Amino acid sequence: MKELLTIPRLLVKAVEFCAIQSQYANPLLYGITDGKAVGTFVEHAFQTFISDAYEIQIGSSAKGIDLPSDDINTDIKVTSIKQPQSSCPFKSPREKVYGLGYNLLLFVYDKKDDPQTQTTKLNFISCAFIDKKRTGDFQTTKGIRQILDNNGNVDDLVGFFYDKNFPGDEIIFQGLAEEIMENRPKQGYLTISNALQWRLQYKRIVDTPKDSVKGIVKII
């Protein structure tokens, strides 16, 4: 009987997966320029890789993330180093402040096609686990924390939301500002752009030195 998957085991398998895939000449990805198709392939390959080794507890599919069980609660994101970003559903402007509500396991690859063999190698140049508490927007959380450090109040926070073109209205801003006064947010490390979906950008994660931020584990 296989052992149950845990986050530490997940991170170990991520290291193994990146090492194997970076050496593998893959004919299935040759000539594919659609980043979403590459990302879907890698996500499925990694899920198969970990499920072959560990028992994965299935959580609520309503969460819409790859590993939704309460103890893992992690979505897998795969992106090219050329433009390290992805999208996710918009639920609430609160996500920019307090994070997405789940962890991220981020794979960043550099895709190289070999015309002679008509195969592809994905060189994984970065892999990181981002704790859900660090998935807020960098500039938003930095600005809010500075306001709080300068003895700001609810009105200052509401004004900040308007200045930053936050999605929402006065009622939402008021409620969020009152929550922030009671619950100081952690510094986030994503760049979250407003759109019909959140656009998540990861360059700061890629550039963050290993072991420099609690809650961000640089695997590669």
Side-chain angles (χ1 to χ4, degrees):
M1 185 174 177
K2 290 184 287 189
E3 294 181 287
L4 193 64
L5 181 68
T6 63
I7 286 179
R9 288 169 176 166
L10 177 69
L11 303 190
V12 169
K13 297 307 286 184
V15 175
E16 294 176 8
F17 179 80
C18 289
I20 292 168
Q21 290 295 320
S22 293
Q23 298 298 317
Y24 176 53
N26 192 331
L28 299 177
L29 295 177
Y30 179 75
I32 294 178
T33 57
D34 181 1
K36 187 173 183 180
V38 175
T40 299
F41 180 91
V42 173
E43 287 173 20
H44 290 168
F46 181 66
Q47 286 178 292
T48 300
F49 185 70
I50 55 176
S51 63
D52 286 345
Y54 292 108
E55 188 73 28
I56 300 176
Q57 184 179 356
I58 302 301
S60 170
S61 60
K63 287 185 178 182
I65 63 175
D66 295 304
L67 301 169
S69 63
D70 291 340
D71 52 338
I72 304 295
N73 192 27
T74 298
D75 202 26
I76 301 167
K77 297 291 187 182
V78 183
T79 181
S80 168
I81 188 58
K82 293 178 181 177
Q83 196 170 21
Q85 65 179 31
S86 66
S87 61
C88 77
F90 169 91
K91 293 180 182 177
S92 161
R94 187 179 180 277
E95 292 175 309
K96 262 197 167 184
V97 178
Y98 290 107
L100 303 173
Y102 49 84
N103 312 309
L104 296 178
L105 181 60
L106 173 67
F107 293 94
V108 182
Y109 64 83
D110 185 20
K111 183 177 184 288
K112 299 291 185 185
D113 283 355
D114 185 343
Q116 289 188 327
T117 61
Q118 293 198 332
T119 59
T120 291
K121 281 191 177 179
L122 295 180
N123 180 27
F124 286 96
I125 57 177
S126 181
C127 182
F129 178 83
I130 305 126
D131 186 276
K132 63 183 180 180
K133 294 177 182 178
R134 295 294 188 181
T135 59
D137 179 72
F138 181 86
Q139 295 295 348
T140 298
T141 50
K142 183 178 181 180
I144 288 170
R145 289 164 63 87
Q146 287 175 341
I147 289 171
L148 297 178
D149 288 341
N150 292 327
N151 297 316
N153 60 17
V154 166
D155 291 340
D156 296 320
L157 291 168
V158 170
F160 174 80
F161 298 148
Y162 278 112
D163 289 343
K164 297 297 182 181
N165 294 316
F166 234 58
D169 55 28
E170 186 174 354
I171 294 174
I172 290 174
F173 293 169
Q174 182 75 20
L176 184 55
E178 290 173 357
E179 181 179 3
I180 289 168
M181 293 301 296
E182 296 294 328
N183 182 18
R184 179 187 178 96
K186 295 272 190 184
Q187 176 64 57
Y189 279 85
L190 302 185
T191 298
I192 304 179
S193 303
N194 297 345
L196 294 176
Q197 292 185 311
W198 289 132
R199 184 176 296 109
L200 310 179
Q201 293 164 299
Y202 305 111
K203 191 171 189 310
R204 184 170 284 103
I205 297 293
V206 175
D207 294 342
T208 297
K210 187 175 182 178
D211 299 330
S212 64
V213 178
K214 185 178 180 181
I216 297 177
V217 180
K218 292 297 291 287
I219 301 166
I220 298 176

